[in-house]
Amino acid sequence: MTAWYRARTMGWSTKAVVAAGLLAALLVAAVPAAFFVGVIMMLLGHVIGGLALFGASILAAGVAVAVAGLSGVRHLRKLVSQQRYRVVQLRQGSDYRYE
């Protein structure tokens, strides 16, 4: 294998970060469906169950987003510390303007 191909393959930590991000996106997308099902349950008389379903879906989505965010930041810091990727800090003002 050549060096460029080896650099492009994802390690297990990168795959874990991608999986955490996908899980977070799916759980956030499922919140409106859980709300709809919770309202239907409450209309049928299961008020506590409907509220519990909606609350649990919000809690699960929030935890998944927090875990994905923290693991992504940790992974990014690890990549930057390995010096494989060059990170340049821009100066205030002058580097943002096009003249």
Side-chain angles (χ1 to χ4, degrees):
M1 286 188 179
T2 60
W4 64 270
Y5 181 77
R6 194 166 195 222
R8 288 181 56 196
T9 58
M10 291 192 297
W12 66 269
S13 62
T14 305
K15 290 178 185 176
V17 170
V18 170
L22 281 174
L23 179 66
L26 287 174
L27 287 175
V28 167
V31 169
F35 177 70
F36 179 70
V37 171
V39 168
I40 298 297
M41 283 178 67
M42 286 190 279
L43 289 175
L44 294 175
H46 300 285
V47 176
I48 300 299
L51 290 174
L53 176 70
F54 185 58
S57 69
I58 289 178
L59 184 65
V63 167
V65 167
V67 167
L70 291 174
S71 64
V73 167
R74 186 176 147 264
H75 189 70
L76 182 63
R77 285 183 181 163
K78 190 171 87 173
L79 286 176
V80 168
S81 69
Q82 289 177 353
Q83 297 295 331
R84 284 196 305 181
Y85 301 99
R86 189 170 160 209
V87 177
V88 179
Q89 220 172 6
L90 299 176
R91 290 186 303 251
Q92 191 85 11
S94 65
D95 291 335
Y96 296 110
R97 275 186 261 143
Y98 178 75
E99 297 175 3

